[in-house]
Amino acid sequence: MRKPKIVVLGAGYGGLMTVTRLQKSLGVNEADIVLVNKNDYHYETTWLHEASAGTLSPDRVRYPVSDVIDKNKVDFVQDSVVEIKTDENTVILENGQADYDYLVVALGGESETFGIKGLKEHAFTISNVNTSRQLREHIEYQFATYHNEEEKKDERLTIVVGGAGFTGIEFLGELTNRVPELCKEFDVDYHKVRIICVEAAPMVLPGFDPELVTYAVSVLEKKGVEFKIGTAIKEATPEGIIVGKGEDEVEEIKAGTVVWAAGVRGNSVIEKSGIEAMRGRVKVDPNLRVPGHENIFVIGDSSLVINEEINRPYPPTAQIAMQQGVTVAKNLSALIRHQEGLESFVFDNKGTVCSLGEDDAIGVVFGKKVKGAKASFMKKMVDNRALFMVGGVGLTLKKGKFKFF
Ligand SMILES: Cc1cc2nc3c(=O)[nH]c(=O)nc-3n(C[C@H](O)[C@H](O)[C@H](O)COP(=O)(O)OP(=O)(O)OC[C@H]3O[C@@H](n4cnc5c(N)ncnc54)[C@H](O)[C@@H]3O)c2cc1C
């Protein structure tokens, strides 16, 4: 008898969680499982701010997909997804195609530039291992070049971070640790360096506890970060950025490095495939399926789940992507075994910890506020837990963070 075929797109948090759960719950004869991913490795997206600032090697944030999949049960295909043909139950890949009975789309998100002029061309993003490597090397290049030009250009030492959300703040925390090292390495006067955070919203870390936000801002300000809050980036240029508080108050900031860390949208494959979405994110049904397509699940940054308590979407996080992976694996097992009743997804928010560099952080964990070294310890525990959930003790020992203080 022909086995049903499950195709999982993306080996990020959501995709790997789905596959590792499926390989545990389904027997070899119950289904064919195929995992498709652009690279032959998984990267910890939640660690990319460290690789981008240069406080962690880019190789530390990734591990081979083959480390966590059971090759007897899962076929791994290294390829890029181009389009999903929902009416033909097939996925077009750059170098072939993959037919499916059940599809899980876990392709993550993409940077959202909200149409701001010049951002795509002139700003760096923290999106994957390669963008992180490029950003780290660009900053180093700016420092290395500074003394080797006849006319010193101080703007080479100015780094602008667009966005004071989670990614922006975590990157700033790492950057403030890295800059003193760069100054020493390249003989640069620390006082010549400017790190500026520009945020259009009236606050830093919207949604976070105000007392913790005050703590985070004061820690980063003490380390030299200048905050421009309630200020929008109007344009990015080869020389820097143009910001404004209103129509009249416009200012040019010359900067050798501009990093855009302010928006996430769903993967462009979704819209290209004609699947209904809002900014590339699919408002999935309670079982995490695409409305009107009972055999297609979407999870992670490309999905949109409403928090009924406040009637707003949950922010895209690794935590939610992993929990969705568990639910989808259960639902797929039930479908394959023709069992009645699929599980509805309910997000169990265990809390959030935002790092402020190697040994500082803020967070709310199981409803309790934490900050400083204690929060930093919690952050490393959270990072290790994600590794453990996907790859058990072996992966945690191989890639985990054990320098707690
Ligand atoms: C700097 C930073 C810090 C963060 N910190 C936290 C945190 O502390 N806690 C938290 O919960 N969340 C955090 N997040 C958010 C979190 O990383 C994302 O929400 C999470 O990675 C989403 O998981 P996912 O499975 O949807 O996608 P991802 O984990 O991004 O995986 C997507 C996978 O799909 C692959 N892929 C993409 N396009 C294609 C294609 N066309 N073809 C083939 N493969 C493709 C990618 O290579 C990748 O392997 C952070 C994000 C950033 C950038």
Side-chain angles (χ1 to χ4, degrees):
M1 206 175 86
R2 184 183 162 276
K3 285 188 276 179
K5 188 166 170 189
I6 302 169
V7 173
V8 179
L9 306 178
Y13 292 99
L16 276 192
M17 202 64 206
T18 306
V19 165
T20 51
R21 290 296 166 118
L22 279 176
Q23 69 189 14
K24 271 190 200 137
S25 66
L26 290 178
V28 183
N29 296 323
E30 287 186 283
D32 285 327
I33 305 170
V34 176
L35 172 64
V36 181
N37 195 55
K38 206 180 264 186
N39 310 298
D40 61 358
Y41 58 83
H42 160 92
Y43 51 84
E44 296 289 302
T45 312
T46 61
W47 302 9
L48 288 178
H49 56 289
E50 297 170 71
S52 304
T55 50
L56 195 69
S57 147
D59 284 333
R60 274 281 281 124
V61 309
R62 62 179 174 177
Y63 59 82
V65 169
S66 59
D67 278 7
V68 292
I69 57 167
D70 177 346
K71 288 173 211 75
N72 295 318
K73 290 187 177 172
V74 179
D75 279 333
F76 175 64
V77 176
Q78 184 184 348
D79 209 335
S80 284
V81 177
V82 177
E83 193 182 340
I84 302 158
K85 299 266 185 202
T86 53
D87 46 354
E88 295 167 31
N89 284 358
T90 195
V91 180
I92 307 298
L93 307 173
E94 229 166 64
N95 302 300
Q97 69 178 63
D99 301 333
Y100 60 84
D101 295 302
Y102 298 102
L103 183 69
V104 181
V105 184
L107 291 169
E110 291 176 5
S111 177
E112 169 65 280
T113 53
F114 305 107
I116 298 170
K117 203 173 155 195
L119 268 185
K120 275 201 180 115
E121 297 79 11
H122 306 299
F124 292 86
T125 61
I126 302 176
S127 312
N128 56 50
V129 173
N130 292 319
T131 62
S132 296
R133 198 187 292 276
Q134 188 190 21
L135 173 52
R136 182 189 74 157
E137 301 217 340
H138 173 82
I139 294 172
E140 278 189 13
Y141 173 81
Q142 297 295 325
F143 275 73
T145 309
Y146 183 70
H147 279 307
N148 295 317
E149 284 174 320
E150 246 174 63
E151 190 198 336
K152 299 256 178 302
K153 296 187 183 123
D154 285 357
E155 59 267 29
R156 283 202 184 277
L157 307 175
T158 298
I159 302 165
V160 169
V161 177
F166 213 86
T167 304
I169 293 297
E170 289 207 317
F171 177 62
L172 286 164
E174 295 303 318
L175 202 57
T176 53
N177 284 2
R178 177 79 172 125
V179 160
E181 289 174 7
L182 287 170
C183 289
K184 216 169 165 187
E185 195 175 338
F186 297 104
D187 295 326
V188 167
D189 176 1
Y190 178 78
H191 299 101
K192 294 231 174 264
V193 180
R194 282 184 81 192
I195 303 174
I196 304 166
C197 177
V198 182
E199 169 59 61
M203 69 196 71
V204 168
L205 286 172
F208 237 85
D209 177 87
E211 186 197 322
L212 295 175
V213 171
T214 306
Y215 173 83
V217 170
S218 101
V219 165
L220 293 174
E221 279 181 338
K222 271 188 207 133
K223 290 182 172 181
V225 177
E226 297 169 44
F227 283 96
K228 286 185 181 288
I229 304 303
T231 306
I233 296 185
K234 305 254 182 213
E235 188 179 340
T237 67
E239 285 78 41
I241 52 160
I242 295 163
V243 299
K245 276 208 162 176
E247 283 306 306
D248 312 325
E249 237 183 283
V250 176
E251 184 195 352
E252 182 184 9
I253 303 174
K254 292 203 169 186
T257 308
V258 176
V259 183
W260 179 243
V264 179
R265 63 180 345 275
N267 194 292
S268 48
V269 164
I270 303 259
E271 279 169 350
K272 200 170 170 197
S273 307
I275 298 173
E276 202 182 318
M278 297 177 213
R279 292 195 187 282
R281 299 178 72 196
V282 181
K283 192 170 174 213
V284 285
D285 74 11
N287 311 125
L288 302 174
R289 293 186 286 191
V290 178
H293 297 279
E294 295 222 316
N295 60 343
I296 306 180
F297 295 81
V298 181
I299 60 174
D301 285 4
S302 286
S303 71
L304 193 145
V305 176
I306 299 292
N307 177 352
E308 302 290 352
E309 278 173 29
I310 52 170
N311 201 26
R312 292 189 61 180
Y314 284 111
T317 62
Q319 186 182 179
I320 200 166
M322 293 181 84
Q323 290 183 20
Q324 289 176 317
V326 174
T327 300
V328 165
K330 277 188 198 156
N331 284 342
L332 282 169
S333 299
L335 284 166
I336 279 168
R337 290 174 182 152
H338 305 290
Q339 290 163 348
E340 290 282 304
L342 297 188
E343 187 175 291
S344 291
F345 176 71
V346 180
F347 178 46
D348 174 17
N349 190 352
K350 306 219 183 295
T352 316
V353 187
C354 176
S355 151
L356 303 173
E358 167 64 23
D359 48 13
D360 211 342
I362 53 167
V364 179
V365 182
F366 296 117
K368 287 219 162 67
K369 289 192 229 178
V370 278
K371 61 182 186 228
K374 193 171 168 193
S376 177
F377 171 80
M378 301 295 292
K379 179 78 181 174
K380 290 180 179 79
M381 295 293 281
V382 171
D383 288 346
N384 289 344
R385 183 174 181 271
L387 292 171
F388 179 76
M389 300 262 297
V390 170
V393 176
L395 184 67
T396 316
L397 289 175
K398 187 172 166 193
K399 301 300 288 190
K401 293 181 175 170
F402 296 106
K403 187 177 162 277
F404 290 126
F405 294 104

